[in-house]
Amino acid sequence: MTQAPAEGPDSESAVEAGGYRQELKRTLGSFQVFAISFAFISVAVGIFATFDEVLVTAGPVGIWLWLVAAVGQSLVALVVAQFAARIPLSGSSYQWASRLGDPKVGWWFGWLTFCYLAIAVVAIDNALASQAFMPLAGIAADEDTARVITLVVLLVQAVPAIASKRLVG
């Protein structure tokens, strides 16, 4: 197992050890990294899609269970923030698993993360279409309509992402 570089002044050498030249001034502190990590994995992503189901099946106790889940998510966010501080490279779980384990483990983590993100984006967009947009717009509940709206939302998300890559590149 390789030793991750320490945070702080040595983080520039960690970037160079990854084969990159330090070009940008990094100004994220520990709280900012924690906030980004928490927002990325936050339980709030699924709250609105499952709110009625929780109330129907668990009643008011279900709301208190969200607090338990929030504490667990906070602990996970702290771990992710610690990784980000110690290994300041892009690549998320691939980079971390490759350096803390070995490149084969990193490859699997990278593919699992890709699959998770591919599924999560579609699921969140579908929930947005069927649970939020259609009721607000007064559209009758229909799964085919929700699928079309989901595809439109995915397209609306893809166009700026592709354009921004070309502009930044």
Side-chain angles (χ1 to χ4, degrees):
M1 187 179 289
T2 58
Q3 185 72 354
E7 61 183 313
D10 293 334
S11 59
E12 184 173 326
S13 62
V15 173
E16 291 171 358
Y20 300 99
R21 185 173 54 89
Q22 181 70 22
E23 296 177 1
L24 302 173
K25 181 180 177 186
R26 294 190 319 260
T27 58
L28 289 179
S30 57
F31 179 76
Q32 288 89 356
V33 172
F34 170 78
I36 291 168
S37 301
F38 187 82
F40 179 72
I41 59 175
S42 179
V43 72
V45 171
I47 282 179
F48 300 107
T50 61
F51 184 73
D52 62 335
E53 187 67 26
V54 169
L55 290 179
V56 168
T57 58
V61 173
I63 294 171
W64 294 106
L65 292 176
W66 279 343
L67 294 176
V68 174
V71 169
Q73 289 292 315
S74 297
L75 294 174
V76 172
L78 286 171
V79 170
V80 171
Q82 182 65 23
F83 279 156
R86 292 182 61 77
I87 305 173
L89 298 173
S90 64
S92 184
S93 59
Y94 166 75
Q95 289 286 3
W96 300 331
S98 293
R99 283 173 172 62
L100 296 173
D102 65 37
K104 291 179 183 176
V105 173
W107 186 87
W108 282 106
F109 268 78
W111 272 108
L112 287 172
T113 302
F114 172 78
C115 293
Y116 154 72
L117 290 173
I119 293 168
V121 169
V122 175
I124 291 168
D125 287 350
N126 185 265
L128 173 72
S130 63
Q131 303 295 318
F133 179 74
M134 289 174 64
L136 287 173
I139 301 172
D142 179 38
E143 193 57 39
D144 289 335
T145 304
R147 287 182 185 132
V148 170
I149 294 171
T150 300
L151 289 174
V152 170
V153 170
L154 285 168
L155 182 64
V156 167
Q157 291 170 335
V159 168
I162 292 168
S164 68
K165 293 272 186 190
R166 291 185 181 177
L167 287 174
V168 172

